Amino acid sequence: QVRLVESGGGLVQAGGSLRLSCAASGSIFTLGAMLWYRQSPGKQRDLVATITNGGITNYADSVRGRFAISRDNAQNTVYLQMNSLKPEDTAIYSCAVDATLVSRSTARFWGQGTQVTVSS
């Protein structure tokens, strides 16, 4: 199995920045796409950003130009740099990875989430 540990959330004022990290460990053979989602109270979970194992990125319209996703394949870690934060970015941010295990089975694994709160 794969364990994901997120860090970097917290409280920040509007206009500020935060950097989230998500480190994967376990019976990993290879990692495919790595993703960040977010969910606000009472709302559905939304996809924020994705990065393929080749480094191709994609963003939700609401964060494009403000957020940047990156990955360190040697460390099995994905990052989300969040700049120019707005109160509406307040949510629980969760990472997910598409992993091929040493058994050669594949699955998507999820982190527990980290709270990001942006004050106005």
Side-chain angles (χ1 to χ4, degrees):
Q1 298 299 304
V2 176
R3 180 184 182 214
L4 300 178
V5 178
E6 296 136 332
S7 60
L11 173 64
V12 65
Q13 289 188 329
S17 298
L18 285 173
R19 189 191 195 208
L20 306 183
S21 300
C22 173
S25 62
S27 304
I28 300 169
F29 181 67
T30 61
L31 292 178
M34 304 180 87
L35 312 92
W36 284 99
Y37 287 81
R38 69 184 181 187
Q39 187 169 22
S40 303
K43 296 186 177 181
Q44 67 180 18
R45 183 172 59 195
D46 291 327
L47 179 62
V48 175
T50 63
I51 185 167
T52 68
N53 55 5
I56 298 173
T57 60
N58 197 19
Y59 299 93
D61 289 342
S62 59
V63 307
R64 188 175 288 112
R66 300 188 296 122
F67 290 11
I69 188 171
S70 61
R71 62 191 286 168
D72 182 336
N73 290 327
Q75 299 294 325
N76 289 339
T77 300
V78 61
Y79 304 95
L80 186 67
Q81 177 68 43
M82 304 185 294
N83 301 324
S84 303
L85 283 161
K86 305 175 181 179
E88 52 264 42
D89 294 319
T90 296
I92 295 175
Y93 286 71
S94 301
C95 64
V97 300
D98 292 334
T100 299
L101 305 182
V102 294
S103 63
R104 299 305 191 268
S105 63
T106 60
R108 176 166 291 182
F109 297 90
W110 293 85
Q112 291 298 309
T114 184
Q115 177 70 48
V116 170
T117 302
V118 184
S119 63
S120 57

mmCIF file of all heavy atoms in Angstrom, residues 19 25 28 34 47 54 64 70 85 88 95 103 108 111 117:
data_model
loop_
_atom_site.group_PDB
_atom_site.id
_atom_site.type_symbol
_atom_site.label_atom_id
_atom_site.label_comp_id
_atom_site.label_asym_id
_atom_site.label_seq_id
_atom_site.Cartn_x
_atom_site.Cartn_y
_atom_site.Cartn_z
ATOM 1 N N ARG A 19 2.860 26.803 0.915
ATOM 2 C CA ARG A 19 3.342 25.703 0.090
ATOM 3 C C ARG A 19 2.972 24.393 0.759
ATOM 4 O O ARG A 19 3.400 24.128 1.897
ATOM 5 C CB ARG A 19 4.854 25.784 -0.099
ATOM 6 C CG ARG A 19 5.393 24.784 -1.130
ATOM 7 C CD ARG A 19 6.894 24.716 -1.095
ATOM 8 N NE ARG A 19 7.450 24.059 -2.263
ATOM 9 C CZ ARG A 19 8.602 23.410 -2.258
ATOM 10 N NH1 ARG A 19 9.322 23.332 -1.147
ATOM 11 N NH2 ARG A 19 9.057 22.846 -3.367
ATOM 12 N N SER A 25 4.951 7.125 0.428
ATOM 13 C CA SER A 25 5.852 6.048 0.830
ATOM 14 C C SER A 25 5.094 4.732 0.843
ATOM 15 O O SER A 25 3.858 4.726 0.875
ATOM 16 C CB SER A 25 6.447 6.327 2.215
ATOM 17 O OG SER A 25 5.424 6.387 3.184
ATOM 18 N N ILE A 28 5.847 1.124 -3.405
ATOM 19 C CA ILE A 28 5.709 1.827 -4.673
ATOM 20 C C ILE A 28 6.667 1.282 -5.711
ATOM 21 O O ILE A 28 7.864 1.195 -5.462
ATOM 22 C CB ILE A 28 5.963 3.342 -4.474
ATOM 23 C CG1 ILE A 28 4.959 3.929 -3.492
ATOM 24 C CG2 ILE A 28 5.891 4.071 -5.815
ATOM 25 C CD1 ILE A 28 5.302 5.341 -3.042
ATOM 26 N N MET A 34 -0.018 12.833 -10.096
ATOM 27 C CA MET A 34 -0.162 13.280 -8.714
ATOM 28 C C MET A 34 -1.104 14.471 -8.740
ATOM 29 O O MET A 34 -1.018 15.321 -9.640
ATOM 30 C CB MET A 34 1.201 13.638 -8.117
ATOM 31 C CG MET A 34 2.202 12.490 -8.210
ATOM 32 S SD MET A 34 3.828 12.862 -7.528
ATOM 33 C CE MET A 34 3.574 12.439 -5.806
ATOM 34 N N LEU A 47 -11.157 19.231 -8.031
ATOM 35 C CA LEU A 47 -9.787 19.043 -8.466
ATOM 36 C C LEU A 47 -9.126 20.406 -8.646
ATOM 37 O O LEU A 47 -9.658 21.269 -9.344
ATOM 38 C CB LEU A 47 -9.755 18.258 -9.776
ATOM 39 C CG LEU A 47 -8.396 17.985 -10.396
ATOM 40 C CD1 LEU A 47 -7.537 17.151 -9.471
ATOM 41 C CD2 LEU A 47 -8.571 17.294 -11.745
ATOM 42 N N GLY A 54 5.402 12.853 -16.394
ATOM 43 C CA GLY A 54 6.253 13.563 -17.336
ATOM 44 C C GLY A 54 6.321 15.054 -17.085
ATOM 45 O O GLY A 54 6.991 15.782 -17.832
ATOM 46 N N ARG A 64 -5.621 28.933 -11.682
ATOM 47 C CA ARG A 64 -4.596 29.079 -12.730
ATOM 48 C C ARG A 64 -3.959 30.456 -12.641
ATOM 49 O O ARG A 64 -4.637 31.466 -12.540
ATOM 50 C CB ARG A 64 -5.207 28.842 -14.105
ATOM 51 C CG ARG A 64 -4.167 28.797 -15.226
ATOM 52 C CD ARG A 64 -4.802 28.428 -16.557
ATOM 53 N NE ARG A 64 -5.193 27.023 -16.593
ATOM 54 C CZ ARG A 64 -6.463 26.613 -16.623
ATOM 55 N NH1 ARG A 64 -7.440 27.498 -16.648
ATOM 56 N NH2 ARG A 64 -6.743 25.320 -16.661
ATOM 57 N N SER A 70 4.153 20.968 -8.574
ATOM 58 C CA SER A 70 5.434 20.415 -9.001
ATOM 59 C C SER A 70 5.657 19.093 -8.288
ATOM 60 O O SER A 70 4.933 18.763 -7.339
ATOM 61 C CB SER A 70 6.575 21.392 -8.712
ATOM 62 O OG SER A 70 6.674 21.658 -7.322
ATOM 63 N N LEU A 85 -3.316 34.201 -2.281
ATOM 64 C CA LEU A 85 -4.447 33.455 -1.731
ATOM 65 C C LEU A 85 -5.631 34.352 -1.440
ATOM 66 O O LEU A 85 -5.473 35.522 -1.047
ATOM 67 C CB LEU A 85 -4.012 32.709 -0.473
ATOM 68 C CG LEU A 85 -3.203 31.429 -0.748
ATOM 69 C CD1 LEU A 85 -2.416 31.008 0.479
ATOM 70 C CD2 LEU A 85 -4.130 30.322 -1.204
ATOM 71 N N GLU A 88 -11.730 32.624 -0.539
ATOM 72 C CA GLU A 88 -12.441 31.499 -1.157
ATOM 73 C C GLU A 88 -11.553 30.296 -1.427
ATOM 74 O O GLU A 88 -12.041 29.239 -1.835
ATOM 75 C CB GLU A 88 -13.126 31.939 -2.462
ATOM 76 C CG GLU A 88 -12.225 32.653 -3.454
ATOM 77 C CD GLU A 88 -12.322 34.171 -3.345
ATOM 78 O OE1 GLU A 88 -12.364 34.701 -2.198
ATOM 79 O OE2 GLU A 88 -12.354 34.824 -4.416
ATOM 80 N N CYS A 95 -4.056 15.476 -1.174
ATOM 81 C CA CYS A 95 -3.320 14.998 -2.339
ATOM 82 C C CYS A 95 -3.775 13.580 -2.674
ATOM 83 O O CYS A 95 -4.319 12.858 -1.817
ATOM 84 C CB CYS A 95 -1.817 15.025 -2.101
ATOM 85 S SG CYS A 95 -1.234 13.938 -0.811
ATOM 86 N N SER A 103 3.683 -5.078 -6.509
ATOM 87 C CA SER A 103 2.910 -6.246 -6.950
ATOM 88 C C SER A 103 2.393 -6.067 -8.370
ATOM 89 O O SER A 103 1.797 -6.986 -8.931
ATOM 90 C CB SER A 103 1.731 -6.457 -6.010
ATOM 91 O OG SER A 103 0.852 -5.343 -6.071
ATOM 92 N N ARG A 108 -5.439 4.400 -6.986
ATOM 93 C CA ARG A 108 -5.290 5.789 -6.542
ATOM 94 C C ARG A 108 -5.329 5.788 -5.016
ATOM 95 O O ARG A 108 -6.236 5.209 -4.411
ATOM 96 C CB ARG A 108 -6.381 6.667 -7.121
ATOM 97 C CG ARG A 108 -6.325 8.112 -6.610
ATOM 98 C CD ARG A 108 -7.181 9.040 -7.444
ATOM 99 N NE ARG A 108 -6.604 9.221 -8.775
ATOM 100 C CZ ARG A 108 -7.120 10.020 -9.709
ATOM 101 N NH1 ARG A 108 -8.212 10.718 -9.454
ATOM 102 N NH2 ARG A 108 -6.535 10.128 -10.884
ATOM 103 N N GLY A 111 -4.365 11.169 0.572
ATOM 104 C CA GLY A 111 -3.895 11.663 1.846
ATOM 105 C C GLY A 111 -5.057 12.035 2.745
ATOM 106 O O GLY A 111 -6.217 12.034 2.324
ATOM 107 N N THR A 117 -6.624 27.953 5.618
ATOM 108 C CA THR A 117 -7.583 28.992 5.957
ATOM 109 C C THR A 117 -6.997 30.336 5.562
ATOM 110 O O THR A 117 -5.888 30.682 5.972
ATOM 111 C CB THR A 117 -7.907 28.991 7.445
ATOM 112 O OG1 THR A 117 -8.417 27.696 7.821
ATOM 113 C CG2 THR A 117 -8.956 30.046 7.775
#
